[in-house]
Amino acid sequence: IVNGSFETPNVGGSWNTFSNGSVLGWNAIDAANPKNQLIEIDYSAAAVGGPAYAGKQSLEVNANEPEDVYQTVSDLVVGQQYTLFWAYGNRPGSGSQEMQVYFGPSGTLLPADLVTTDVDTYAGTNSTLVWIPNSFVVTATSTTEVLSFNGVAFPGEGSPSYGNEIDAVSLMAAPEPSTLLLLASGLGLLGLGYAWRWQRALPVSSRL
């Protein structure tokens, strides 16, 4: 993932919106308003109520209204499993928010490409920015895939102009099961008290 913690461009301790082609690695689609395809980068501590999950900046999917922010990822190996990670930020005062995450060979947001849906469980009642880490195993079906973060509009609820913060986006080849077993054994011998929760993306038909 290029520019996965959104440190470029530097917004100088505040926030700013950028047109497509101005943010390294990322573009935006706003189906409701094609003229409003903007990418908002926030200096998190000053702009959205708390520090970034990684670095100093994060991206807000709701620039002026919910939109789709995406990156085309290339040089993938077909059939290879990858660990997709990102942090989802619940912004104070944002109201009800929802964001769908897609990973697939096209930018059409096909239901079959849905990885998961992030929901702001605080509905904006939190006093500081709260980050929720996400980790899913996805499989490349093409050498080029599109990773999309798609804000969902709730008419009459939630603020359309801010919410759905993301940070620390990464995509790494998942280790083979034998490597995981070796790693688990090593951690057990060291007596480390870390608990890892791995999530696997389910087909849409398997979801409630």
Side-chain angles (χ1 to χ4, degrees):
I1 300 296
V2 177
N3 194 24
S5 72
F6 310 105
E7 301 303 307
T8 303
N10 189 316
V11 294
S14 183
W15 64 277
N16 206 344
T17 56
F18 301 90
S19 59
N20 282 336
S22 301
V23 176
L24 182 66
W26 300 93
N27 285 294
I29 298 173
D30 187 344
N33 186 359
K35 294 182 179 179
N36 188 45
Q37 296 176 154
L38 297 173
I39 302 173
E40 180 176 330
I41 303 294
D42 298 323
Y43 182 86
S44 301
V48 291
Y53 188 88
K56 295 182 178 180
Q57 299 185 167
S58 54
L59 181 146
E60 190 159 39
V61 174
N62 295 26
N64 287 321
E65 56 190 49
E67 58 186 350
D68 172 34
V69 179
Y70 67 95
Q71 180 170 144
T72 301
V73 187
S74 57
D75 298 325
L76 299 172
V77 177
V78 176
Q80 169 72 51
Q81 290 188 323
Y82 294 85
T83 300
L84 172 62
F85 179 90
W86 72 95
Y88 176 74
N90 299 287
R91 179 173 171 171
S94 62
S96 298
Q97 299 287 346
E98 188 173 303
M99 181 186 75
Q100 295 171 333
V101 182
Y102 294 84
F103 183 79
S106 71
T108 55
L109 304 183
L110 297 173
D113 301 330
L114 180 67
V115 176
T116 193
T117 300
D118 277 320
V119 177
D120 185 343
T121 55
Y122 297 89
T125 60
N126 45 308
S127 58
T128 59
L129 181 63
V130 177
W131 289 107
I132 307 297
N134 290 260
S135 180
F136 283 84
V137 174
V138 296
T139 302
T141 59
S142 172
T143 57
T144 300
E145 305 268 4
V146 178
L147 172 62
S148 301
F149 297 92
N150 182 39
V152 179
F154 288 105
E157 303 179 36
S159 171
S161 63
Y162 61 90
N164 292 323
E165 204 80 16
I166 59 173
D167 198 7
V169 184
S170 67
L171 186 72
M172 309 249 334
E176 296 295 328
S178 57
T179 308
L180 285 173
L181 273 175
L182 227 68
L183 176 62
S185 301
L187 288 176
L189 288 172
L190 289 171
L192 295 177
Y194 292 107
W196 292 90
R197 184 179 67 145
W198 291 88
Q199 302 180 44
R200 183 174 298 275
L202 297 175
V204 174
S205 58
S206 300
R207 296 177 175 273
L208 297 178

